[in-house]
Amino acid sequence: MLKTCLFPAAGYGTRFLPATKSLPKEMLPILTKPLIHYGVDEALEAGMDSMAFVTGRGKRALEDYFDISYELEHQIAGSSKEPLLAEIRQLMNKCSFSFTRQNEMKGLGHAIYTGRGLVNDEAFGVVLADDLCINEDGEGVLSQMTKIYEKYRCSIVAVMEVPREQTASYGVISGRAIDDSLIMVDDMVEKPNPDEAPSNLAIIGRYILTPDIFSILERTAPGKNGEVQITDALKTQALEGMVLALKFKGRRFDCGSLHGFVEATNYFYEREYGKDNS
Ligand code: G1P
């Protein structure tokens, strides 16, 4: 039912310099697949097949990744290497891809607003590819969120508990529990200091947004760090209507940090090849 997933991917990825000087951070690989590939897999699993990217200067590798590489594919056709491209080829056959550029860095809210032309007048998913999420026991995080959307038809954020001292790295919510995993949001603050945080429930990079978010973003003034924050727009939406937060099942790796990136790499390596395989 939800068709489009938006991937804001215009950020510089400064924590991975110098690698990200000429390589989009979303193209950094966990084993042999770039981060963006995991994000697209998750969206597809949730039933979305229209992938929309908000990119920026120096991000053309993202477009090339979701295109055919004629020369390379011709070279390796029929060889033992050919199966290595099978997974990305299958993925490409299942979705469509569209791209637009954010030409000024004015925050995540602005990046999402920039993508409005790629999203029809309907609810859509948002994946921040440097948050890599897995759920070994069942469906992916975006899939869990689409189920909630089908029932409540409002914007939804995925949240997890973090140590209080880390609240300044996240959007933080508070609200009233509907059940064990669902909260009706009544407050949201972007990157609050621990003593100002309304709780320790942090938003991770998964959203479902209803399309009225665009008109709210239009009237949302720059907030934290002088940037237009999706957290502020969602707070308006929560106060004027309803926004839900889902304590998702599964695990999230912060691949925007070196520590989380290495953790994810080790996790996927062990899962794929087993601990003792070298
Ligand atoms: C963004 C959002 C923040 C959210 C985080 C999740 O921040 O602004 O609210 O908690 O993603 O990863 P960023 O990490 O891009 O600075």
Side-chain angles (χ1 to χ4, degrees):
M1 199 173 8
L2 293 169
K3 288 199 216 65
T4 307
C5 189
L6 194 67
F7 296 85
Y12 294 126
T14 47
R15 275 184 283 182
F16 283 90
L17 282 171
T20 45
K21 195 171 163 232
S22 59
L23 179 77
K25 64 173 172 165
E26 298 78 12
M27 288 301 295
L28 292 170
I30 299 293
L31 306 190
T32 55
K33 283 198 309 193
L35 283 168
I36 196 77
H37 188 140
Y38 291 88
V40 170
D41 275 344
E42 189 184 323
L44 196 59
E45 189 223 345
M48 300 168 197
D49 62 3
S50 171
M51 308 300 167
F53 300 81
V54 178
T55 67
R57 275 182 295 280
K59 297 272 188 166
R60 276 183 51 186
L62 282 168
E63 291 185 48
D64 292 340
Y65 184 71
F66 294 108
D67 195 0
I68 289 171
S69 170
Y70 281 105
E71 213 180 291
L72 171 71
E73 298 194 22
H74 178 74
Q75 283 281 336
I76 67 172
S79 81
S80 61
K81 305 280 182 215
E82 194 177 6
L84 299 176
L85 289 178
E87 193 179 339
I88 175 68
R89 253 192 232 152
Q90 281 160 14
L91 181 72
M92 281 163 55
N93 288 338
K94 288 181 192 151
C95 342
S96 66
F97 302 91
S98 55
F99 300 85
T100 191
R101 278 193 186 199
Q102 185 188 17
N103 47 27
E104 286 173 291
M105 296 300 166
K106 290 193 195 161
L108 180 57
H110 180 255
I112 291 173
Y113 184 72
T114 304
R116 68 197 180 284
L118 306 179
V119 173
N120 293 323
D121 192 24
E122 50 194 33
F124 58 100
V126 175
V127 166
L128 306 184
D130 49 15
D131 277 341
L132 204 172
C133 296
I134 51 125
N135 181 19
E136 282 172 355
D137 306 325
E139 54 191 0
V141 177
L142 215 48
S143 223
Q144 296 167 38
M145 295 169 79
T146 56
K147 295 262 162 67
I148 306 294
Y149 174 76
E150 278 160 25
K151 183 163 179 205
Y152 291 94
R153 304 279 166 157
C154 65
S155 290
I156 301 158
V157 295
V159 293
M160 65 179 216
E161 288 187 29
V162 296
R164 269 246 164 211
E165 60 272 20
Q166 288 177 17
T167 57
S169 302
Y170 299 93
V172 178
I173 68 121
S174 67
R176 184 171 64 76
I178 295 181
D179 59 34
D180 286 353
S181 61
L182 212 52
I183 297 155
M184 192 179 293
V185 174
D186 61 21
D187 197 11
M188 282 183 139
V189 188
E190 178 67 3
K191 304 197 171 111
N193 290 326
D195 53 337
E196 289 157 355
S199 78
N200 68 336
L201 284 172
I203 303 170
I204 60 133
R206 298 292 181 275
Y207 306 79
I208 286 177
L209 301 175
T210 53
D212 55 309
I213 199 72
F214 293 123
S215 61
I216 298 175
L217 278 167
E218 238 165 54
R219 57 185 158 96
T220 300
K224 192 86 184 183
N225 302 327
E227 297 179 332
V228 178
Q229 299 295 348
I230 189 65
T231 306
D232 295 342
L234 279 164
K235 178 170 176 182
T236 305
Q237 213 179 28
L239 298 179
E240 291 177 357
M242 177 161 94
V243 171
L244 294 174
L246 175 70
K247 289 190 203 166
F248 64 94
K249 293 194 186 72
R251 184 163 173 195
R252 166 256 190 189
F253 295 97
D254 173 15
C255 293
S257 77
L258 197 53
H259 179 80
F261 187 85
V262 171
E263 231 179 18
T265 302
N266 289 336
Y267 171 85
F268 279 90
Y269 186 80
E270 278 171 27
R271 197 171 86 166
E272 196 106 333
Y273 302 104
K275 264 193 182 116
D276 305 322
N277 202 338
S278 57

